[in-house]
Amino acid sequence: MRKLGRSVTALAYIAALLVAFAATRAYAADIGYLAPPGVAANEFPSPQRPVARIVSPRRAAEERRDALNEAGQIARALELKPGMTVGDIGAGSGYHTVKLSRLVGPAGSVVAQDVTRDYLVELARRTERLKLTNVQFALGEPHDPRLPASSLDAAILVHMYHEVAQPYAFLYNLAPALKQGARVGIVDLELPTSKHGTPIELLRCELTAVGYREVAAYKLAGDGGYLAVFSPPEVAARKSPRDIVACADPAGTR
C-alpha cells in the first residue's frame, strides 16, 4: 500500500512537470520578433569601450527599488500617463513592466523587450499570474530591438545600456519605433561600463552620435544612479550609419 502511494505521488509529480514544461513551451512559442530586421550591425562602428556581460535579469531586490520609488521617479520625469504605449527595453525580470502595466492602464500597453528569450518566457508567466493583460513581449537582437514603427510613446532602458553589444546600431534601429514627440529615458550608474555603469558624458556622446538630443538629466534617489532623457532624431535628420563616429573611450572606463 505504501509503495502504491509513493507511485501515485511520483506520477503526480511527473505530470506536474510535464504540464509546466508544456506551458513554458507555449509561452516560448508566442514570444518572437514584432518587426522585420532593421539595419545590419556591420553597417555601424563598434563601441570604443568595454561592453558588460548580461549577468542577471534583475539589478536589485524589488523592495529596495520600491523604497527608493525608482519607478515613480522615472514616470514623473518622462510624464508617463494612462493610455500610453511604453517600451521596457531590456525588461529582464519585469520590475518596470509590472509597474508600467498598472500605470498605463487598460487603455495603454507595455512592450517588454529583451534579447534573452528565457527572461521573456518567465516574465510572461509572471504577468499571467498577476492578471496583467496589457503587456506584449518582444524578442530583440543585440543590435536591433525589432519593434514596430511608430509604436512607442516612450521607452525606458534601466540599468542595461552598458550591456548593449552594438549601441550605435541599437539606438539607430530603436528610433523608428518612437512616435513623434516620444522620449527615451536611460537609467545607469556613474561607473565604467566594465563595472556595469555608463559615465553620463559617454552616454551623451554615444546618443548624440546617432542624432538623439538630450532633454534633461536627473539624479535618482539613493544608489539609483542617474536618469537621462532624450528625444529621438527626426526622420529627415537621421544620419547614414556610415557617418556615425564612435566615441572615444574616456580615461578610466576600463
Side-chain angles (χ1 to χ4, degrees):
M1 191 70 178
R2 189 174 298 170
K3 280 186 178 179
L4 179 60
R6 282 201 295 265
S7 297
V8 170
T9 301
L11 287 171
Y13 177 69
I14 292 169
L17 284 178
L18 289 172
V19 168
F21 178 69
T24 298
R25 288 192 66 184
Y27 284 124
D30 290 339
I31 292 170
Y33 304 121
L34 295 187
V39 181
N42 61 10
E43 296 290 321
F44 298 86
S46 297
Q48 301 302 301
R49 42 82 172 174
V51 174
R53 288 190 309 112
I54 300 173
V55 294
S56 172
R58 61 184 57 81
R59 173 181 177 257
E62 296 198 357
E63 295 78 9
R64 169 67 175 162
R65 301 173 85 172
D66 285 346
L68 295 174
N69 192 27
E70 181 180 301
Q73 294 179 82
I74 294 171
R76 280 197 303 274
L78 291 176
E79 300 180 355
L80 303 181
K81 298 179 176 66
M84 283 185 165
T85 297
V86 183
D88 184 7
I89 311 299
S93 64
Y95 174 75
H96 283 287
T97 295
V98 171
K99 301 288 186 185
L100 290 167
S101 171
R102 291 165 175 160
L103 188 156
V104 301
S109 63
V110 181
V111 180
Q113 186 273 350
D114 209 291
V115 297
T116 305
R117 182 187 289 274
D118 288 349
Y119 293 172
L120 293 176
V121 170
E122 187 56 38
L123 180 52
R125 299 178 70 173
R126 179 181 185 183
T127 57
E128 183 176 67
R129 289 195 301 270
L130 295 172
K131 296 180 168 54
L132 304 177
T133 59
N134 60 350
V135 179
Q136 287 182 283
F137 302 93
L139 186 64
E141 299 180 72
H143 72 287
D144 185 355
R146 299 288 294 268
L147 297 174
S150 300
S151 59
L152 303 178
D153 295 296
I156 63 170
L157 293 76
V158 180
H159 294 294
M160 57 74 71
Y161 182 80
H162 50 266
E163 297 172 348
V164 178
Q166 298 281 354
Y168 301 105
F170 194 88
L171 291 168
Y172 190 92
N173 286 321
L174 172 63
L178 299 163
K179 296 179 184 178
Q180 182 76 25
R183 293 290 181 264
V184 177
I186 300 178
V187 175
D188 219 330
L189 301 174
E190 190 65 48
L191 290 173
T193 54
S194 59
K195 296 183 178 179
H196 289 269
T198 308
I200 194 167
E201 290 304 325
L202 174 62
L203 182 80
R204 287 168 172 152
C205 182
E206 291 189 349
L207 272 90
T208 299
V210 185
Y212 287 73
R213 182 177 61 83
E214 185 176 0
V215 176
Y218 306 89
K219 174 76 171 69
L220 298 180
D223 61 353
Y226 62 79
L227 165 64
V229 181
F230 295 85
S231 62
E234 297 290 338
V235 175
R238 291 185 75 191
K239 297 180 179 180
S240 162
R242 297 290 187 181
D243 292 334
I244 294 172
V245 178
C247 299
D249 182 27
T253 63
R254 295 187 183 274

